[in-house]
Amino acid sequence: MIKKRNRRKQAVSLNDRLQQATVAARKAAGRLPQGMARDCMLQKARQAETARCINAWLASSGQPMPK
């Protein structure tokens, strides 16, 4: 039996969700002591910021690819 996909509209835009993820990861990293867990949270924040930039670039029309 084929499982049916759960399709629903997102209430919050991708850009807003990525912004929330960035803020949440930075807050969580601020509460952690220096170490591997903190570095992972900061990396997660950087990845969300990069995803926002890529999303903005893909949504724009006619801009050249960033170097």
Side-chain angles (χ1 to χ4, degrees):
M1 189 162 120
I2 297 175
K3 189 175 182 180
K4 191 173 180 180
R5 281 181 56 181
N6 182 14
R7 296 183 183 214
R8 66 182 186 123
K9 295 225 178 206
Q10 295 290 335
V12 181
S13 70
L14 176 61
N15 194 35
D16 291 340
R17 285 182 280 146
L18 289 170
Q19 176 65 30
Q20 290 171 357
T22 301
V23 170
R26 289 208 185 276
K27 282 184 181 179
R31 290 189 297 265
L32 293 172
Q34 288 188 357
M36 191 172 208
R38 182 178 181 166
D39 292 342
C40 288
M41 291 306 291
L42 290 173
Q43 181 180 13
K44 192 173 185 177
R46 284 192 302 272
Q47 287 174 344
E49 287 175 351
T50 302
R52 283 184 63 215
C53 291
I54 291 172
N55 186 45
W57 172 64
L58 291 173
S60 69
S61 59
Q63 287 189 354
M65 189 171 110
K67 294 180 182 178

